[in-house]
Amino acid sequence: MARGAKYAENPKKRQITLFIAKAAAVLMLAAAPYLIFCGLPLAGLPDADEVTRVEIRRIDDGLSKCATNAKDIELVRKAAELLRYAPFAVPREEAPRIAVTFITRGGKETSLTAGLTSVEYNGRTRVLRRKKLFVNVIEGIFFKEERANGAP
């Protein structure tokens, strides 16, 4: 039986199948450069409206903050959206600088630790596309008083 014999009696079905195949190929060609150059976002972070509290800790000096109001929780969640990683990069050893724990209404905890060039989340270390950005944003928002007072 010829390769296209099953579509011989129904040319409409063949046209639809070819259209879907072409559309999928175009979408993959368009998405691949974006994902390679901009990075993949971390999947599985809780939504801001599900979170009751966020604990943020600077690992180098042990200083910690707890965000409980909706505005601060939203800020941390938006900062976490900056964590885009390179899908095929191999991470180097790096000491983490910031630890963030999201506590949801059900009591579930989701944690991540980030350094200047990598993030560890769900047991995997990933290389960040935008180096230093997440750490600088979190430190600038939540630890700015300590920096102004001369703390590292």
Side-chain angles (χ1 to χ4, degrees), residues 7 12-22:
Y7 296 113
K12 275 283 198 211
K13 193 172 188 179
R14 178 184 166 106
Q15 288 176 341
I16 292 171
T17 304
L18 285 175
F19 174 76
I20 291 172
K22 288 177 185 179

Side-chain angles (χ1 to χ4, degrees), residues 26-41:
V26 168
L27 286 174
M28 287 183 357
L29 286 174
Y34 176 79
L35 294 176
I36 290 171
F37 292 113
C38 296
L40 295 169

